[in-house]
């Protein structure tokens, strides 16, 4: 039933955009002298997205461009994100930045953007489409492998490990799941990785999933959480379970994770550089607007941090609180 509603929303959205394109004129949002870049993120509630927004706005000010930045209330609202993308495209922007919750759901809208000669810059997550002129993102498989390496070191190469993953529809979700699992399979045969459980990046749901996993696996040695919301939920789940001997590694930063690492509740995490991601998103959009060729992917950085290096200035510069 949910998929029927989503497909209906996409069909209506495509028709709406077609009509908007036919009726658009010089008074559109993209019709001013400043290049107008519409950015649609996966969400707005996590500190990660606020940092991306900050970087995008900084680069827009530097480049003399204007940006809008929207995202659904949670990272489970695919239909709402489709509606947001529809609304932004109807404003006839000069370029669009898009972080897809579902790598396929927005394909018709991306084709519509292409037909209107609006370049699309994918960021954070790629899409199953050749429409984006580039994808600005962390190498999520490599970053997840880094988390797996540190987990294996902490566990001495042995034990049972669970995965709490934010979703199985976005490229970031599948890459962070597969990168962790593949590294363990190839490099740590003594570690058993349980099937991934999906919490939608929601803290409460991820906490409940974590408690269920712990209850079903009394010998659990570690938990890997694939994004900010998943990690905070996993931390809460472990704390509420009363277990003291579970190693938690995560992805992203944010104040709750930083506090957990400093307090020894979390072993460490991989942080991205979301401010740089926002800057590169906007600079790539400007280049696309100007007709410049862009590489297929633009790799933003990632860093492992834990109690031993969290105060390093290089790490402090990429933590988002």
């Amino acid at each position: 039933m949910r998929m029927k509603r989503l497909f209906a929303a996409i069909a209506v959205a495509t028709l709406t955009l077609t009509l908007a394109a036919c009726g658009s004129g010089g008074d559109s949002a993209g019709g001013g002298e400043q290049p107008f870049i519409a950015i649609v993120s996966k969400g707005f509630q996590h500190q990660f997205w606020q940092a991306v927004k900050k970087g995008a706005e900084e680069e827009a000010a530097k480049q003399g461009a204007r940006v809008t930045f929207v995202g659904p209330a949670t990272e489970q609202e695919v239909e709402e994100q489709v509606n947001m993308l529809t609304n932004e495209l109807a404003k006839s922007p000069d370029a669009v930045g898009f972080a897809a919750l579902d790598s396929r759901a927005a394909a018709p809208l991306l084709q519509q953007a292409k037909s209107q000669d609006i370049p699309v810059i994918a960021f954070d997550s790629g899409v199953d489409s050749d429409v984006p002129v580039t994808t600005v993102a962390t190498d999520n498989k490599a970053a997840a492998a880094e988390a797996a390496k540190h987990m294996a070191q902490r566990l001495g190469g042995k034990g049972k490990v669970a995965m709490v993953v934010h979703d199985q529809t976005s490229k970031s979700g599948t890459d962070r799941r597969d990168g962790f699992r593949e590294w363990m399979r190839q490099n740590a045969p003594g570690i058993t990785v349980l099937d991934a459980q999906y919490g939608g990046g929601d803290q409460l749901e991820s906490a409940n999933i974590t408690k269920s996993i712990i209850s079903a696996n009394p010998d659990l040695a570690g938990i890997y959480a694939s994004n900010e919301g998943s990690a905070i939920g996993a931390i809460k789940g472990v704390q509420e379970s009363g277990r003291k001997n579970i190693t938690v590694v995560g992805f992203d930063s944010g104040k709750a994770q930083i506090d957990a690492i400093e307090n020894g509740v979390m072993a460490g995490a991989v942080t991205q550089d979301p401010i740089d991601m926002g800057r590169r998103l906007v600079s790539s959009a400007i280049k696309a607007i100007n007709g410049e060729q862009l590489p297929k992917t633009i790799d933003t950085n990632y860093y492992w941090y834990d109690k031993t290096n969290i105060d390093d200035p290089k790490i402090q510069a990429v933590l988002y609180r």
Side-chain angles (χ1 to χ4, degrees):
M1 198 65 184
R2 180 182 176 186
M3 291 304 295
K4 287 182 179 178
R5 289 199 304 271
L6 178 57
F7 290 142
I10 292 170
V12 171
T14 303
L15 177 60
T16 300
L17 282 171
T18 301
L19 293 173
C22 292
S24 63
D27 60 347
S28 69
E33 292 183 2
Q34 285 183 306
F36 169 42
I37 304 162
I39 302 173
V40 181
S41 76
K42 286 183 178 180
F44 215 70
Q45 76 283 32
H46 294 152
Q47 290 171 307
F48 177 83
W49 300 116
Q50 297 296 326
V52 175
K53 179 175 182 285
K54 179 181 178 182
E57 290 174 343
E58 287 178 358
E59 186 65 23
K62 179 180 175 182
Q63 298 266 9
R66 182 167 66 90
V67 297
T68 56
F69 194 102
V70 298
T74 74
E75 294 183 20
Q76 302 178 69
E77 299 178 42
V78 177
E79 187 174 339
E80 178 62 18
Q81 189 188 48
V82 166
N83 291 335
M84 287 180 167
L85 180 59
T86 302
N87 293 337
E88 294 305 302
L89 285 173
K91 298 174 185 176
S92 298
D94 295 297
V96 168
F98 184 55
L101 283 172
D102 187 309
S103 61
R104 297 180 181 180
L109 295 178
L110 300 183
Q111 287 294 335
Q112 186 70 38
K114 185 176 182 180
S115 73
Q116 292 176 235
D117 294 323
I118 299 172
V120 176
I121 314 298
F123 72 100
D124 183 70
S125 288
V127 293
D128 292 335
S129 168
D130 62 358
V131 170
V133 294
T134 191
T135 298
V136 179
T138 302
D139 184 338
N140 284 300
K141 278 196 170 182
E146 184 72 11
K149 180 181 77 174
H150 284 274
M151 172 72 84
Q153 290 172 350
R154 294 271 181 159
L155 299 182
K158 297 178 180 179
K160 184 185 290 186
V161 172
M163 292 191 289
V164 179
V165 179
H166 53 288
D167 66 56
Q168 55 185 324
T169 55
S170 71
K171 282 291 289 177
S172 67
T174 56
D175 283 353
R176 292 179 196 178
R177 175 196 66 196
D178 296 346
F180 185 89
R181 186 165 53 195
E182 288 167 9
W183 191 94
M184 287 297 195
R185 183 169 58 243
Q186 294 169 8
N187 299 282
I191 291 179
T192 300
V193 180
L194 301 177
D195 290 340
Q197 302 293 314
Y198 302 95
D202 181 79
Q203 296 178 24
L204 179 59
E205 189 169 348
S206 297
N208 289 335
I209 287 171
T210 297
K211 287 185 285 187
S212 295
I213 293 171
I214 292 171
S215 177
N217 298 274
D219 57 342
L220 190 71
I223 298 174
Y224 161 67
S226 69
N227 79 341
E228 183 180 344
S230 305
I232 295 169
I235 293 164
K236 290 181 177 178
V238 170
Q239 290 174 322
E240 291 172 8
S241 74
R243 287 282 301 274
K244 304 291 186 183
N245 58 341
I246 295 177
T247 298
V248 181
V249 302
F251 219 102
D252 293 320
S253 59
K255 188 177 186 307
Q257 284 175 266
I258 293 168
D259 289 347
I261 288 171
E262 290 177 337
N263 296 334
V265 177
M266 190 176 195
V270 175
T271 184
Q272 303 178 82
D273 191 344
I275 291 179
D276 185 56
M277 186 180 290
R279 289 172 180 153
R280 293 195 184 203
L281 163 61
V282 170
S283 65
S284 298
I286 296 295
K287 289 176 182 178
I289 292 167
N290 292 333
E292 297 182 38
Q293 291 293 315
L294 291 164
K296 184 177 180 182
T297 59
I298 296 173
D299 183 15
T300 55
N301 292 323
Y302 65 86
Y303 307 85
W304 171 263
Y305 70 106
D306 56 26
K307 210 168 183 177
T308 67
N309 71 342
I310 196 169
D311 293 323
D312 187 312
K314 291 181 181 179
I315 297 298
Q316 285 291 313
V318 295
L319 299 182
Y320 29 103
R321 301 175 186 271

